[in-house]
Amino acid sequence: MRALTVVPLQSGTAEVRDVPEPDTDGGRLLVDGLALGICGTDREIVAGEYGWAPPGHDRLVLGHESLGRVRRAPEGSGFAAGDLVVGIVRRPDPRPCPACAHGEFDMCRNGEYSERGIKELDGYGSEQWSIEPDYAIKLDPALAETGVLLEPTSVVAKAWDQVERVGSRAYFAPERVLVTGAGPIGLLAALLGVQRGLDVHVLDRAESGPKVRAVEALGATYHSGPVSDVTEGLRPDIIIEATGAASVVFDAIAGTGAYGIVCLTGVSSAGRRISVDLGEANRSMVLENDVVVGSVNANPRHYTAAAQALAAADPGWLASLITRRVPLDRFAEALEARPDDIKVVLTLGR
């Protein structure tokens, strides 16, 4: 069985190689891999910047944005052969910490969680994989071509969940949302905003191309100017920040309307320094009851919410987000970042 593997923390080691057949003991599903989404985390692991192999192993099977079809399912598992499924990425730490013990392993407090394709568990980048039924999400059959978008959608489903939980601290009737960044996370965040009936605006550097078309096809408004220029006129109630760019993050925090909420989903690179007036930022946040919250990963309820959002979305719009499909044996092409890419997908199987 072929799989995309890498030696973590060593660049130049990514290769497709034969690996053992997946273990289906303990009532696990056997799944034929269909597709694997590629994101910045995968590129960082391949570059040797990140990642942990399973204990006792040198290599890690890459891939956390999965899509597969059940080949074999144990009786009573709730799944059947032919079901379209996605695997949840994170597993709770073994102690477990209080958050993991309550099913909130996306909020693990001691960092001893594991993640498929990232940390101490082989990922979904193989022709077949197995999974515990509790960590598999069944998809609408209509998502056979686009269900690989479920994992990034789960991330923004959690972000919206966090925003709405924070908003419920007081009267909360948002009208306008600004999403900064029109990559997969930003566009899927915009989709969930449109599905909530909000006036959605998306900001990105691109001035033309698939990102602009995707925003317009949602019925949202696209912007490409400075963040401060957009927020000054818009005064959004909510900002979903999906770039991780330090200057954009700061302008987003400063740019909401009164008692606005900023949810940070983009991970910033270390080492970039900018000068800010922290006193003015603090004054504004305190006097306007503003909130800034970080959000990463997702738990099963967010995956379920994401599956419902994708099932309700326009199939053609979802398909437009997948700008390249690359076969497994040409994986290096998928790892190249190109200006017009939104989502790149590796196709699995022979």
Side-chain angles (χ1 to χ4, degrees):
M1 178 184 74
R2 299 185 308 160
L4 177 56
T5 70
V6 64
V7 179
L9 305 182
Q10 292 186 28
S11 64
T13 61
E15 64 174 313
V16 174
R17 59 164 53 189
D18 287 331
V19 299
E21 299 294 321
D23 178 11
T24 56
D25 290 344
R28 296 165 70 94
L29 310 177
L30 178 63
V31 180
D32 291 325
L34 298 177
L36 185 75
I38 299 297
C39 75
T41 297
D42 301 305
R43 294 186 176 100
E44 289 174 356
I45 294 173
V46 169
E49 300 172 10
Y50 197 66
W52 296 261
H57 295 262
D58 294 328
R59 302 188 75 89
L60 170 74
V61 175
L62 200 64
H64 58 281
E65 298 184 7
S66 63
L67 179 65
R69 192 175 299 280
V70 175
R71 174 178 288 267
R72 187 171 66 245
E75 186 175 351
S77 66
F79 293 87
D83 285 345
L84 198 65
V85 293
V86 163
I88 292 174
V89 177
R90 185 172 288 193
R91 302 292 184 272
D93 71 86
R95 297 194 184 188
C97 75
C100 288
H102 286 83
E104 304 282 350
F105 45 81
D106 55 314
M107 297 291 210
C108 181
R109 300 191 64 176
N110 60 21
E112 295 182 9
Y113 59 83
S114 53
E115 292 178 322
R116 293 199 60 162
I118 301 173
K119 183 183 180 188
E120 300 176 341
L121 291 174
D122 281 332
Y124 301 110
S126 54
E127 293 175 320
Q128 288 188 333
W129 39 271
S130 66
I131 190 167
E132 314 91 314
D134 287 348
Y135 291 94
I137 301 296
K138 189 184 301 185
L139 295 187
D140 187 307
L143 295 171
E145 296 297 319
T146 55
V148 72
L149 296 170
L150 182 64
E151 191 278 338
T153 308
S154 76
V155 171
V156 294
K158 177 183 174 179
W160 276 105
D161 178 44
Q162 297 296 303
V163 166
E164 289 161 351
R165 286 169 179 250
V166 171
S168 67
R169 76 197 193 276
Y171 169 76
F172 187 57
E175 297 178 358
R176 293 173 300 280
V177 58
L178 173 64
V179 178
T180 51
I185 294 292
L187 290 171
L188 291 166
L191 168 68
L192 270 61
V194 169
Q195 289 181 341
R196 283 163 168 76
L198 298 175
D199 177 18
V200 176
H201 297 252
V202 179
L203 173 70
D204 195 88
R205 292 179 297 182
E207 296 183 354
S208 61
K211 293 180 178 181
V212 178
R213 293 194 294 271
V215 171
E216 293 173 346
L218 269 182
T221 304
Y222 188 86
H223 305 266
S224 60
V227 179
S228 56
D229 288 356
V230 176
T231 57
E232 183 176 356
L234 191 62
R235 304 305 291 173
D237 304 298
I238 299 164
I239 296 179
I240 307 290
E241 206 300 298
T243 70
S247 60
V248 177
V249 170
F250 181 74
D251 286 345
I253 290 172
T256 62
Y259 79 93
I261 301 171
V262 177
C263 184
L264 306 177
T265 67
V267 180
S268 301
S269 299
R272 174 74 184 277
R273 295 178 180 273
I274 61 172
S275 297
V276 300
D277 186 340
L278 187 57
E280 177 57 31
N282 178 75
R283 176 183 176 84
S284 174
M285 290 181 66
V286 170
L287 294 181
E288 294 191 358
N289 293 290
D290 291 343
V291 175
V292 179
V293 59
S295 181
V296 70
N297 210 271
N299 67 40
R301 77 169 184 275
H302 304 127
Y303 278 83
T304 298
Q308 293 168 350
L310 292 184
D314 172 21
W317 185 83
L318 292 177
S320 75
L321 302 191
I322 301 176
T323 46
R324 281 196 292 144
R325 293 182 185 269
V326 180
L328 179 60
D329 57 5
R330 288 168 30 207
F331 71 89
E333 296 176 29
L335 294 168
E336 298 172 0
R338 299 180 183 177
D340 283 341
D341 280 340
I342 298 178
K343 172 56 65 180
V344 181
V345 170
L346 270 180
T347 54
L348 305 174
R350 295 187 183 276

